[in-house]
Amino acid sequence: MSEPGSLLRSLSGKPAARNFHTFVINEIGASIVAGRYPVGSILPSDAEMMANFGVSRTVLREALRTLEAKGMVEARPKVGTRVSQRSRWNFFDQQVLAWHFEAELDADFVSGLFDIRAALQARAADLASRRRNAEQIRLLKYWVHQMELAEDDAESHALAELEVHRIGVEASGNPLLRSSIGLVELTLALTAIAGPDEAARRAARTALTGHCQALVSAIEKGDSAASATAMAEAIATGRDRAVTGRRLSRP
C-alpha cells in the first residue's frame, strides 16, 4: 500500500493486487505495528519466515532491507533482526502509516495525527491560495463535485477528498508538503469508518463536503485566511469523528 489511495480503496474489502515482496513487507510491517512482534524483540529466523510466507531467502531479505530503510527493524550480526524503537520509525512513510489502520490505536496517537496534519495543511492551503493556477482550480472543483456525488459511498467520498487535498498540496508549490499525503490518507480512512451508524457517517461526509467546497472557493479567490479556516474546519470534523466514533485505547 504505497500508492496514494491504496488504503482508502481497501475500505471496500476488495483484495489489492500484490507480489511476494509487498506481501512479506505488509505481513511483517503490520505485525510490528500491531505488537505481534514487539519493540525490542528478535524476529523469527529466516528459515521460519521463509516457511511461513512461502518465499525465497532473496524475497525475504529484500523485504527486511525495505523495513530497515523505514526504521522499523535493525539487523545485528550473530543476533538477528530486531524490531526498532518506535522513535526510529518513519511515520511519514505511507506504508508505515497504512499499517496503523488495522491496529488498536490510542487516542493520543490519533489526535497527534490530526495535529500534524493541521499544521502542514494550514500552510499548504495558505500557499495554494497564492500560487494556484487555472488547471488546479478546475481539478479542485471537479473533485469537490465528486465528493457531492459520493456522499452515500464512504470509499468514493474519501478518495475524492484525498484528491482535493493532494491537488491543494500540488498547488502550494512546496514539494516537501507532498510527504503529508500518506498522513492525510490515514486520517481520512479513520474518519470514513468512524461513527455509531451509517446515518452519522453520512452526516460527517456531508459536513466534509461543505468544508471542502469552502476551501476550494477560498483558494480560487486567493483568500488565504478563509482557506486556512476552511481547512481547519475540515480537519476538526475529521478529528471529532475519528476520536469519538472509533474504539480507541489509552496508553
Side-chain angles (χ1 to χ4, degrees), residues 80-221:
T81 302
R82 186 186 301 276
V83 178
S84 302
Q85 297 295 317
R86 284 174 62 86
S87 60
R88 298 187 59 190
W89 299 3
N90 179 4
F91 281 104
F92 278 92
D93 183 280
Q94 289 185 345
Q95 282 183 308
V96 175
L97 286 166
W99 293 328
H100 283 77
F101 181 67
E102 297 294 342
E104 182 179 0
L105 302 179
D106 65 73
D108 289 341
F109 180 82
V110 173
S111 217
L113 290 173
F114 282 91
D115 285 341
I116 297 302
R117 180 184 163 194
L120 294 174
Q121 286 204 280
R123 182 56 173 161
D126 175 37
L127 292 174
S129 68
R130 304 167 191 268
R131 299 175 176 176
R132 76 282 183 269
N133 58 40
E135 176 62 10
Q136 288 162 341
I137 292 298
R138 184 189 71 80
L139 289 171
L140 286 169
K141 288 181 175 180
Y142 170 81
W143 285 110
V144 165
H145 182 55
Q146 293 306 302
M147 289 179 69
E148 295 175 30
L149 297 177
E151 287 184 358
D152 289 324
D153 182 335
E155 180 182 311
S156 297
H157 186 271
L159 283 166
E161 185 178 357
L162 179 65
E163 285 300 302
V164 170
H165 294 303
R166 186 187 65 78
I167 295 162
V169 166
E170 292 293 331
S172 76
N174 186 333
L176 297 180
L177 287 171
R178 293 173 189 158
S179 64
S180 67
I181 291 302
L183 186 151
V184 172
E185 183 171 2
L186 175 57
T187 59
L188 293 182
L190 293 173
T191 300
I193 65 169
D197 52 49
E198 178 53 29
R201 289 189 287 272
R202 193 189 190 287
R205 292 195 291 271
T206 300
L208 287 167
T209 298
H211 295 320
C212 286
Q213 288 170 333
L215 171 66
V216 171
S217 177
I219 290 175
E220 182 179 22
K221 294 175 182 176

Side-chain angles (χ1 to χ4, degrees), residues 37-57:
Y37 297 141
V39 166
S41 67
I42 303 297
L43 294 181
S45 68
D46 285 4
E48 185 177 345
M49 287 197 287
M50 288 162 56
N52 286 343
F53 299 133
V55 297
S56 67
R57 186 180 300 274

